[in-house]
Amino acid sequence: MSDNIFTDRPLRFGYGASLRRPSGTASGYIVVRNQIGWSVSYTSTEICAFRGSTVDINSTYTYPSKFNHPFATVNKTFWFIKESNGTYVDLLTDPEYSGRVENLCENNKCTLRISNLRESDSAVYKFRFTTNQPTRSLTGSAGVTLSVTDPQLQVHVRRSTANPSSTWTELTCHSRCQIPDHLSYVWYNNNKPVGRKKYSHLRHFNAEDSYHCAIEGQERFHSPTLYAPKVPSVSVSPSGEIMEGSWVTLTCSSDANPAASYTWYKEDEDSPTASGQNFTITNITAEHGGKYQCEAQNTHGRSKATLHLTVGAGKSVIIINTIRLTLVVVLVPVLVWTLWTRMKKTLSLKSEVNEAVEMIELDNWPEYDDIDAAAQTEDPEEQEDRV
């Protein structure tokens, strides 16, 4: 790609230009064959590179082999990002780039190599060359825009379950900058390198496995590690005894990357009870008690944990039960004593009635009481007559 170019001073017609006077004319005219051929071009005008890496910025320049006799020769080639009042600061002399830049030139090609890149190196870089001709210098006007950033690698996951007997998972490594064609991504399985590819196909993704990727030569910049959810941690809030009529929140948390989604199941129920990391139950009753299972799941696997929820009686129930107990403890003995007292009185009354009845009966039959006395007062003569 060739950029627009400019010279610091107007170009003059030089080698290849000639003056001719046509025959039969009083005045002549100029015929110019322009063979100047000055240019500066860049391989790419936009480059994205990673912090800490090394980047090459390439340029090509051309100039006439002769210029106004004697031969034109190149005095200096350099790269710059700063200019002020027509003065250009060679990066080789810039303290901010000390020991980190090289200008590699050969056969009209110059490469600016910057190592140990910093984010502050993001700038527009321009190439310039000067010749032994005082009026001949040239700069590539557009320059090359360099953006320095962290790789921020990410692993994208795509799973196929079209054929249950042959499932597969595709992992693709992505970065903020497109890596050069001669580089590849390094793949790691459980922190051990398993190959260099642009992407990776896996027949089986075990829940115990973890994966991440890095750029070849830049292994210290790697993607976050992907892994299935670990065994979840479950908790209940508020802590302590759970009473009827109150509320409670069940929380499930699992270490996973990518982040896990959560589903709650109650014991002996097939359909999910709730979804989300937090599950809140309001106005809780005894029926809410039992075992709850939290399932954490992401694209790499799933894991489960169980908690037991015990619901105690609420305050109102306790008050009612207290009243009932009080009634039982206090009133029952009173009732028993009352009944016993009444029974005792009834028995006593019956006894008195019976005695009175007996007395009345005896009073109604006086002859039985005076039989012996009559017998004693009977005339002896009459007793003899009976004999």
Side-chain angles (χ1 to χ4, degrees):
M1 179 177 179
S2 179
D3 298 320
N4 296 327
I5 60 174
F6 65 89
T7 58
D8 296 329
R9 299 179 183 177
L11 289 174
R12 297 177 180 176
F13 294 117
Y15 180 78
S18 61
L19 296 177
R20 292 183 180 178
R21 185 185 298 272
S23 59
T25 61
S27 61
Y29 65 93
I30 300 176
V31 177
V32 179
R33 294 199 308 269
N34 191 348
Q35 296 179 357
I36 297 176
W38 294 74
S39 69
V40 171
S41 62
Y42 301 104
T43 302
S44 177
T45 57
E46 291 187 2
I47 297 177
C48 181
F50 304 125
R51 180 170 58 87
S53 65
T54 299
V55 66
D56 287 348
I57 304 175
N58 301 306
S59 71
T60 301
Y61 63 94
T62 62
Y63 64 97
S65 59
K66 294 183 179 179
F67 189 81
N68 270 351
H69 191 79
F71 295 106
T73 58
V74 175
N75 287 342
K76 185 178 182 180
T77 61
F78 64 97
W79 295 81
F80 69 94
I81 59 174
K82 301 175 184 177
E83 55 180 302
S84 177
N85 298 324
T87 301
Y88 306 92
V89 180
D90 187 347
L91 285 178
L92 293 175
T93 65
D94 191 330
E96 295 182 9
Y97 291 84
S98 178
R100 298 193 298 121
V101 295
E102 298 177 85
N103 184 20
L104 309 174
C105 291
E106 185 178 5
N107 298 328
N108 289 23
K109 294 181 180 179
C110 285
T111 298
L112 173 65
R113 178 168 294 171
I114 310 174
S115 59
N116 192 20
L117 282 170
R118 306 167 182 171
E119 293 189 20
S120 59
D121 294 337
S122 298
V124 177
Y125 293 79
K126 295 181 180 181
F127 173 77
R128 179 176 176 80
F129 72 95
T130 62
T131 69
N132 60 343
Q133 303 297 317
T135 58
R136 296 296 178 265
S137 299
L138 195 64
T139 301
S141 60
V144 178
T145 301
L146 173 65
S147 300
V148 181
T149 182
D150 283 334
Q152 295 188 356
L153 299 178
Q154 296 288 336
V155 176
H156 294 184
V157 181
R158 187 163 64 94
R159 298 174 67 92
S160 172
T161 57
N163 185 357
S165 62
S166 179
T167 60
W168 55 267
T169 302
E170 180 188 49
L171 304 181
T172 307
C173 196
H174 290 264
S175 64
R176 296 181 65 178
C177 297
Q178 183 177 359
I179 65 173
D181 293 336
H182 67 280
L183 294 181
S184 296
Y185 293 108
V186 182
W187 287 93
Y188 294 83
N189 180 8
N190 298 327
N191 294 320
K192 296 180 180 179
V194 293
R196 289 171 167 79
K197 301 178 181 179
K198 294 293 184 181
Y199 54 85
S200 178
H201 290 283
L202 304 173
R203 281 290 178 182
H204 301 286
F205 198 117
N206 297 322
E208 299 79 12
D209 290 341
S210 64
Y211 287 88
H212 69 270
C213 65
I215 299 173
E216 187 177 5
Q218 300 290 324
E219 282 77 4
R220 67 182 182 279
F221 298 115
H222 60 79
S223 69
T225 302
L226 299 184
Y227 49 91
K230 307 298 183 182
V231 176
S233 171
V234 291
S235 60
V236 180
S237 178
S239 59
E241 188 177 7
I242 303 168
M243 310 302 293
E244 287 185 320
S246 63
W247 63 271
V248 69
T249 297
L250 311 182
T251 301
C252 185
S253 179
S254 174
D255 180 19
N257 190 32
S261 59
Y262 300 92
T263 306
W264 292 90
Y265 296 88
K266 193 174 187 300
E267 183 182 26
D268 300 329
E269 293 183 6
D270 296 331
S271 58
T273 302
S275 61
Q277 189 171 6
N278 298 317
F279 171 35
T280 300
I281 305 173
T282 58
N283 193 23
I284 197 167
T285 64
E287 287 74 16
H288 289 116
K291 291 182 179 180
Y292 289 84
Q293 185 180 78
C294 168
E295 180 182 86
Q297 180 179 2
N298 67 6
T299 54
H300 305 312
R302 62 186 65 194
S303 187
K304 301 177 181 179
T306 302
L307 65 79
H308 187 83
L309 186 64
T310 302
V311 180
K315 293 182 179 180
S316 59
V317 176
I318 292 177
I319 293 173
I320 294 174
N321 290 338
T322 302
I323 294 174
R324 289 175 179 174
L325 181 62
T326 302
L327 292 175
V328 171
V329 173
V330 177
L331 295 183
V332 169
V334 172
L335 180 61
V336 171
W337 181 82
T338 302
L339 293 175
W340 181 81
T341 302
R342 289 182 179 180
M343 184 178 295
K344 185 177 180 181
K345 288 182 179 180
T346 301
L347 293 175
S348 177
L349 181 61
K350 285 183 178 181
S351 177
E352 292 177 357
V353 170
N354 290 336
E355 290 178 359
V357 170
E358 291 177 357
M359 292 297 297
I360 293 172
E361 289 178 350
L362 291 175
D363 291 340
N364 291 336
W365 300 95
E367 64 274 10
Y368 291 104
D369 297 332
D370 296 336
I371 291 177
D372 291 337
Q376 292 177 0
T377 59
E378 188 177 5
D379 186 24
E381 294 180 356
E382 293 180 357
Q383 292 179 357
E384 290 178 359
D385 291 337
R386 290 191 188 100
V387 175

